[in-house]
Amino acid sequence: KGKSPHLRISLDDFGSLVWNLCDGQRAVGAIAAALAEQFGDKVAPASERTSYFILQLQKQGFIGLRRPDGQPA
């Protein structure tokens, strides 16, 4: 049998929100702000946690990042 092109990963509430907001349009800062708004102190420091999680997603090949000018990061 061939391998399925789909992968299932369990994420906590924070990771799920970040994943759902990774739409190719939002900047990392905007995603961090949404996380802070949704979860408050539970996710502090939101900016650092969001950046770390997004970099892990990139390293694992789940997402690509680009700079504000549209060039790959």
Side-chain angles (χ1 to χ4, degrees):
K1 281 186 167 182
K3 283 189 164 187
S4 170
H6 303 283
L7 182 67
R8 182 176 291 248
I9 297 176
S10 295
L11 298 172
D12 62 13
D13 291 341
F14 306 141
S16 294
L17 180 60
V18 171
W19 175 256
N20 286 322
L21 294 175
C22 288
D23 62 1
Q25 300 301 312
R26 288 182 180 90
V28 174
I31 294 171
L35 196 68
E37 183 177 324
Q38 178 84 22
F39 296 105
D41 290 340
K42 293 179 187 175
V43 73
S47 180
E48 288 85 356
R49 288 183 73 171
T50 304
S51 295
Y52 179 79
F53 183 64
I54 287 176
L55 287 173
Q56 295 307 308
L57 290 173
Q58 180 192 32
K59 285 180 183 179
Q60 295 296 318
F62 292 114
I63 63 170
L65 295 176
R66 63 174 190 248
R67 298 189 312 236
D69 64 5
Q71 297 297 312

